[in-house]
Amino acid sequence: MKQSYTLIKTELLEHKIIVRLPVFLALFAMFVVVMILTNINNFSFNIQTNGFDGWQPPITTSSFAGMVGSVSFFVAGIVSLLSFFTYSARALAKERKEGSLAFWHSMPVSDSKAIAIKLLVALVVIPLFSSLLLLLIDVTVWIVAMWVMPTDMLAENALSLVAIGLHWGQFIATIAAMSLALLPVACIIFCTSQLTDHPLLVLFVAITLVKLISSMLFNSMAVGAWLNKVSNLAFNILTSEHPWQTLANVGTITLLGLLILSIGIFKASVHLRSGD
């Protein structure tokens, strides 16, 4: 357990974007709060449940603060996705580029455990940092609302500590489903990043070519539609009111196939990292 903790800590130190992006946004949120509180007499706090000038966020309902809660939920989810792809593309490639792989091979850490720790960071640690970002935004909104809103409006717009807890729990449930959807994606990126310096670009080109070739060979968009459904699954879960149902709608056979694919590509990544 201590070794795993040390490895996770090392990943966070080597890939500072995981912490810096949420912290930067958190500081920005705090700055906004200070600006609002210092201009409290000129500020009108109004939560709209029907959108801003007709615009609707991807998430249509929220257990906290209506529209504001939906936007903060979506922002935290996007931060999690951006951090995931940034980290996944560099996690193994950084070792190869910097020549530190030989050092890690001299340590009492197996290749399978090293990659498993990186998966843990990508699928668990990064979402947890994003959830803390959401928590800070929610607390910020609640503090501002306590200053500028009467009690009846606080209750009407679900602005309370209990609502914050429910909102955070809703986000945790959503990112848990997203992490399951991103498991095969992470494994593929890890494997590809050991073969090329631009794994995300290679994957994008590969998916595009598969769609094009399958459409020409079979005169059907079925393969392309399936790839879109699988590759966009995490984002669809984020923007869904029922994330676990969205995950389940992919189908048991597809999910089982993706799990088997993940295991196979994970083993391929271990093989590539070991240099055998």
Side-chain angles (χ1 to χ4, degrees), residues 166-184:
L166 292 174
H167 197 217
W168 185 77
Q170 180 186 0
F171 185 76
I172 290 295
T174 299
I175 58 176
M178 289 172 61
S179 292
L180 289 177
L182 288 171
L183 174 60

Side-chain angles (χ1 to χ4, degrees), residues 185-258:
V185 178
C187 291
I188 292 173
I189 293 176
F190 281 173
C191 188
T192 308
S193 66
Q194 296 182 80
L195 302 172
T196 175
D197 292 335
H198 307 285
L200 298 181
L201 178 61
V202 169
L203 288 178
F204 174 78
V205 172
I207 291 174
T208 302
L209 287 177
V210 169
K211 291 179 183 178
L212 180 62
I213 294 173
S214 64
S215 176
M216 294 174 61
L217 289 178
F218 305 109
N219 195 26
S220 171
M221 300 295 294
V223 174
W226 183 84
L227 282 175
N228 284 334
K229 187 176 182 180
V230 172
S231 60
N232 297 331
L233 182 56
F235 184 79
N236 291 336
I237 289 173
L238 174 63
T239 57
S240 172
E241 295 183 13
H242 307 286
W244 285 96
Q245 182 177 335
T246 301
L247 179 65
N249 286 343
V250 175
T252 304
I253 295 178
T254 297
L255 291 176
L256 182 60
L258 290 175

Side-chain angles (χ1 to χ4, degrees), residues 14 46 50 53 62 71 131 141 150 157 194 227 245-246 258 268:
E14 291 186 355
N46 185 24
N50 57 349
D53 295 328
S62 173
V71 172
S131 74
V141 171
N157 291 288
Q194 296 182 80
L227 282 175
Q245 182 177 335
T246 301
L258 290 175

